[in-house]
């Protein structure tokens, strides 16, 4: 599933085609994606101007001049393609294992914009969705009401200690809990834990002192999370199977992976001498170097 850096890259690719533009025509080619479209979905978009395009965790939010906000989630294989008036085409994203490009039979939502651009949502697996909610209720809506902090909005060791205090759940599971820190997924959690030299099975609560203050490990983890996300956003995300940028190019961060999908390869940390291994946590692969991320 696209994670925070991939969704942010898509947002940046879509913004020039959507922000300030009006929906001239919206065509739905099926009644639902993961969920049914909201009532009168196309009619509520048509004639409305996009006044802003933002990201919340792994969601895109388009603020409309009607007082509503369009919420878009890419699911596992969702992608946007943009056809420009000059005949050129942009595609925000394509994932690390050389994924299949979107095919027309999976074009489910077609949005013709007042600028002459056409934004098409393509989703082979249909795990993505779109919703409309009153803008004033955005943070309280069902999608965001229980969502955690944004990791690129001032994440610190103290914040992590406060979130994880008294938790016995494994550190990786806590980091993937969207109610605590929003937007992190399997790839960047593995990468951040390696940079912080923390074993993924470490009890999350151990990063807080008895009085709630952060341990040095909490500070190291906060720094690693921010660094890896900022680097991935700068690189345009990781190209893993289905994700694609709006300009049709692949993300480059997969070339900087230190542990993810590198089983058996030497650890890239200078002087480590270890090799990357894989363990399974909650039916998901976790990649680590046991030498520089010792258990206990």
């Amino acid at each position: 599933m696209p994670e925070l850096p991939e969704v942010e890259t898509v947002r940046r690719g879509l913004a020039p085609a959507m922000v300030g533009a009006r929906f001239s025509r919206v065509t739905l080619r099926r009644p639902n994606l993961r969920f049914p479209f909201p009532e009168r979905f196309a009619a509520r978009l048509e004639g409305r101007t996009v006044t802003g395009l933002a990201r919340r965790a792994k969601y895109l939010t388009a603020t409309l001049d009607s007082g509503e906000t369009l919420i878009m989630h890419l699911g596992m294989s969702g992608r946007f393609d943009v056809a420009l008036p000059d005949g050129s085409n942009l595609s925000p994203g394509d994932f690390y294992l050389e994924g299949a490009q979107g095919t027309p039979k999976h074009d489910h939502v077609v949005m013709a914009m007042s600028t002459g651009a056409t934004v098409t949502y393509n989703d082979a697996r249909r795990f993505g969705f779109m919703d409309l909610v009153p803008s004033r209720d955005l943070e309280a809506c069902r999608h965001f009401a229980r969502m955690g902090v944004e990791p690129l909005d001032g994440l610190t060791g103290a914040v992590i200690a406060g979130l994880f205090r008294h938790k016995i759940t494994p550190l990786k599971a806590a980091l993937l809990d969207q109610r605590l820190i929003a937007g992190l997924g399997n790839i960047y959690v593995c990468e951040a834990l390696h940079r912080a030299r923390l074993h993924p099975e470490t009890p999350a609560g151990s990063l807080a002192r008895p009085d709630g203050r952060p341990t040095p490990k909490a500070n190291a983890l906060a720094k690693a999370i921010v660094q890896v996300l900022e680097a991935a956003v700068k690189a345009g995300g990781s190209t893993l199977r289905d994700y694609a940028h709006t300009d049709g190019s692949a993300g480059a961060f997969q070339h900087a992976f230190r542990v993810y999908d590198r089983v058996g390869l030497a650890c890239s940390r200078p002087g480590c001498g270890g090799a990357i291994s894989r363990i399974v946590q909650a039916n998901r692969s976790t990649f680590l170097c046991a030498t520089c991320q010792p258990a206990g």
Side-chain angles (χ1 to χ4, degrees):
M1 180 180 291
E3 300 181 26
L4 185 156
E6 289 76 53
V7 178
E8 175 61 21
T9 302
V10 172
R11 184 196 70 78
R12 295 180 183 188
L14 286 176
M18 296 188 72
V19 177
R22 186 180 69 257
F23 291 100
S24 298
R25 184 174 178 79
V26 176
T27 303
L28 305 182
R29 294 182 173 170
R30 57 177 303 109
N32 64 304
L33 293 170
R34 191 195 316 179
F35 311 117
F37 287 105
E39 185 178 355
R40 299 181 57 253
F41 181 70
R44 288 158 67 184
L45 289 179
E46 289 177 350
R48 299 304 180 182
T49 298
V50 178
T51 59
L53 186 65
R55 177 195 54 76
R56 177 72 166 105
K58 302 175 187 179
Y59 295 74
L60 294 168
T61 60
T63 307
L64 310 178
D65 65 354
S66 62
E68 291 191 301
T69 292
L70 169 62
I71 299 174
M72 299 171 283
H73 194 284
L74 298 173
M76 296 181 69
S77 61
R79 54 181 289 141
F80 285 97
D81 295 302
V82 182
L84 298 176
D86 64 4
S88 60
N89 290 278
L90 309 176
S91 296
D94 242 5
F95 259 150
Y96 158 69
L97 293 177
E98 299 282 337
Q101 297 292 314
T103 57
K105 70 177 182 179
H106 300 306
D107 289 347
H108 304 310
V109 183
V110 181
M111 298 175 280
M113 310 304 295
S114 59
T115 56
T118 299
V119 178
T120 301
Y121 178 72
N122 179 287
D123 193 345
R125 303 184 191 182
R126 299 203 309 273
F127 287 154
F129 64 85
M130 296 186 185
D131 199 1
L132 280 168
V133 301
S135 298
R136 65 177 181 276
D137 299 331
L138 186 63
E139 285 302 314
C141 77
R142 63 191 179 100
H143 307 295
F144 303 144
R146 301 182 64 194
M147 189 165 285
V149 301
E150 284 283 332
L152 292 180
D153 289 347
L155 184 69
T156 64
V159 171
I160 286 179
L163 292 171
F164 292 177
R165 190 181 184 190
H166 303 313
K167 292 189 179 297
I168 62 173
T169 187
L171 189 51
K172 184 188 175 189
L175 290 169
L176 290 175
D177 188 342
Q178 301 298 297
R179 298 168 298 180
L180 300 175
I181 301 175
L184 297 180
N186 198 34
I187 297 172
Y188 299 108
V189 166
C190 289
E191 292 296 312
L193 287 172
H194 178 261
R195 283 161 173 74
R197 307 188 71 162
L198 291 171
H199 195 280
E201 293 178 329
T202 300
S206 67
L207 271 62
R209 301 179 190 272
D211 63 1
R213 290 183 299 122
T215 65
K217 291 181 178 179
N219 292 326
L221 179 58
K223 182 178 179 180
I225 290 171
V226 173
Q227 286 181 339
V228 75
L229 290 178
E230 289 181 341
V233 169
K234 184 177 180 180
S238 301
T239 304
L240 284 184
R241 198 163 359 203
D242 296 311
Y243 162 74
H245 298 194
T246 39
D247 64 359
S249 65
F253 191 74
Q254 71 273 14
H255 302 303
F257 285 168
R258 298 186 183 182
V259 292
Y260 190 84
D261 204 24
R262 290 176 54 84
V263 174
L265 298 178
C267 178
S268 61
R269 191 183 303 279
C272 171
I276 306 306
S277 58
R278 171 184 173 272
I279 62 174
V280 178
Q281 294 179 278
N283 297 317
R284 302 186 73 181
S285 294
T286 297
F287 301 93
L288 72 153
C289 171
T291 302
C292 61
Q293 294 173 262

